[in-house]
Amino acid sequence: MNLITKVEITPSIKKIKHQHNVLFIGSCFAENISEKLVDAKFNVCCNPFGVVYNPISLYNCFDLLDRKKTFSENDLFFENGVWKSFYHHSSFCNTDKNVTLQNINNEIEKSSQFLKTVDFVFITLGTSWVYVHKALDIVVSNCHKVPAINFNRKLLSVNEVFESLKNIVEIIKKNNNNTQIIFTISPIRHLKDGLHNNNISKAILFVALNKLKEIYQNIQYFPAYEILIDELRDYRFYADDLLHPTKKAIDYIGELFSNSYFEAETINLNKKILEIKNAMLHKPFFPESNEYSTFMKNTYANICILSQKYPFLNFDIEKDFFKMC
């Protein structure tokens, strides 16, 4: 008996290697997958403006990177003792205006350069609902708990989403025409919108993305949404809020992602790197024992072997750790 709706995933022809530059941008689901690549020592840039959910704000991110925008005090607002930007996540905020500007401009400078050399861009769309600041007449990435009276809430049309995505693709190609672009739609439901409005929002994203793929034949889609909603389809794969995926669900989706975008050698190397990281977290009952000493020496030897075989990977932290132990 087949008791699961298996999602068919076409393996990517172009595979990700450790030498590649990979950009993840969009909802918090993008961060879940990017963290796995960071742990495996890939060169990753993730959400240079913080978590972003809607297509217009995502376009704004790419536009700011493309122009290498330098933020000034005029681009910030001061509220409750904190300097904030409507284009950025609250993690960029600070009570010191200069620190906020430094955090923002340093990340834009670094990420603008990264965009010119990026090999893979993963864009995760979260919602078609946006908040438009009435006085500034801009779609904000984050409301920063500013009173709702200052915003108009709006559902984007298919064409508005399509135009935003099209502009994003053109900016990426302008910076590096060899970049592989992959879209995903976040499986995390926005229940504050209500289930019906959430479904409408997601549907608009799907239709706009399908329209985009008809124009750009080389754009890929990774079915993270379908994997969680259809293949897993069980609340045991959701966290206590019943919205976000559990670690087990993220690991499962990450494994399917790995099978699609990594070659066998890369998958094997990732496993070896993970073994080393787990060894660093190992807490022995008897640290003075010969068995533990042998374990540490063997792990250090394995690190040296990997360093020689893959000189583009940096194992300095791991080497120092086991030397010290």
Side-chain angles (χ1 to χ4, degrees):
M1 296 176 64
N2 185 10
L3 300 178
I4 189 172
T5 305
K6 194 69 179 175
V7 177
E8 296 296 329
I9 304 176
T10 303
S12 174
I13 297 176
K14 187 177 180 181
K15 304 294 186 180
I16 303 174
K17 298 182 178 180
H18 284 83
Q19 301 95 314
H20 288 144
N21 292 332
V22 188
L23 170 64
F24 287 87
I25 190 166
S27 79
C28 50
F29 187 79
E31 298 192 335
N32 292 334
I33 300 300
S34 69
E35 285 174 2
K36 293 184 173 298
L37 271 70
V38 171
D39 288 341
K41 293 187 176 294
F42 286 87
N43 191 20
V44 173
C45 173
C46 180
N47 277 343
F49 296 82
V51 175
V52 180
Y53 298 100
N54 73 80
I56 289 182
S57 290
L58 278 166
Y59 162 69
N60 289 337
C61 292
F62 280 97
D63 178 56
L64 293 169
L65 291 179
D66 183 46
R67 293 189 287 117
K68 199 182 287 188
K69 159 78 173 175
T70 299
F71 274 66
S72 67
E73 180 180 343
N74 294 332
D75 300 305
L76 306 180
F77 68 98
F78 188 71
E79 186 187 50
N80 296 329
V82 179
W83 289 91
K84 307 174 182 180
S85 161
F86 280 124
Y87 293 100
H88 291 79
H89 186 262
S90 57
S91 57
F92 287 86
C93 301
N94 197 278
T95 55
D96 187 324
K97 170 185 62 181
N98 293 324
V99 173
T100 301
L101 289 174
Q102 184 178 27
N103 291 340
I104 289 172
N105 290 326
N106 285 349
E107 190 61 42
I108 288 179
E109 173 70 27
K110 180 179 67 175
S111 301
S112 294
Q113 294 301 320
F114 195 90
L115 185 61
K116 295 182 184 302
T117 61
V118 70
D119 298 288
F120 291 83
V121 175
F122 289 87
I123 303 169
T124 302
L125 308 173
T127 181
S128 300
W129 288 99
V130 299
Y131 287 86
V132 182
H133 193 281
K134 293 179 181 177
L136 299 176
D137 193 28
I138 61 169
V139 172
V140 300
S141 299
N142 194 311
C143 292
H144 293 295
K145 298 183 179 179
V146 172
I149 194 173
N150 293 282
F151 302 96
N152 286 322
R153 186 167 173 265
K154 173 187 175 183
L155 181 65
L156 298 177
S157 68
V158 170
N159 281 337
E160 286 174 314
V161 174
F162 168 75
E163 288 298 326
S164 295
L165 301 184
K166 181 174 177 289
N167 290 335
I168 289 172
V169 171
E170 290 301 323
I171 288 176
I172 295 172
K173 288 183 171 294
K174 170 187 168 186
N175 280 269
N176 185 354
N177 196 41
N178 295 320
T179 301
Q180 178 65 63
I181 304 171
I182 304 97
F183 282 93
T184 63
I185 292 180
S186 172
I188 299 171
R189 296 164 298 159
H190 292 241
L191 284 191
K192 289 182 179 180
D193 299 329
L195 275 176
H196 180 66
N197 284 333
N198 171 77
N199 289 341
I200 292 174
S201 167
K202 299 288 188 184
I204 290 173
L205 297 178
F206 276 112
V207 174
L209 186 53
N210 187 66
K211 185 176 178 181
L212 188 76
K213 288 186 66 181
E214 291 176 353
I215 296 176
Y216 300 97
Q217 301 297 324
N218 61 336
I219 285 179
Q220 295 182 7
Y221 172 73
F222 180 75
Y225 180 92
E226 291 82 353
I227 294 169
L228 185 61
I229 300 297
D230 293 304
E231 184 168 329
L232 298 182
R233 194 196 282 261
D234 194 306
Y235 275 113
R236 66 194 166 108
F237 295 112
Y238 288 82
D240 290 342
D241 63 2
L242 303 182
L243 296 175
H244 291 80
T246 61
K247 181 181 181 301
K248 180 177 288 188
I250 293 171
D251 289 344
Y252 180 79
I253 297 173
E255 184 176 339
L256 297 180
F257 175 92
S258 174
N259 293 337
S260 179
Y261 286 97
F262 298 148
E263 294 177 340
E265 181 183 3
T266 305
I267 294 175
N268 185 49
L269 176 56
N270 291 343
K271 290 179 180 178
K272 291 179 179 179
I273 293 173
L274 183 60
E275 288 173 359
I276 293 171
K277 287 186 173 293
N278 289 336
M280 294 174 69
L281 298 174
H282 179 64
K283 303 293 184 183
F285 285 110
F286 305 103
E288 298 84 9
S289 67
N290 290 332
E291 288 81 0
Y292 183 64
S293 177
T294 301
F295 167 76
M296 299 295 279
K297 290 177 181 177
N298 288 341
T299 304
Y300 181 79
N302 290 335
I303 294 173
C304 293
I305 292 172
L306 288 178
S307 293
Q308 292 178 351
K309 187 173 182 180
Y310 305 101
F312 47 83
L313 295 180
N314 189 324
F315 287 98
D316 289 346
I317 294 176
E318 291 80 2
K319 286 181 179 179
D320 290 343
F321 175 86
F322 286 99
K323 277 183 181 178
M324 185 168 59
C325 290

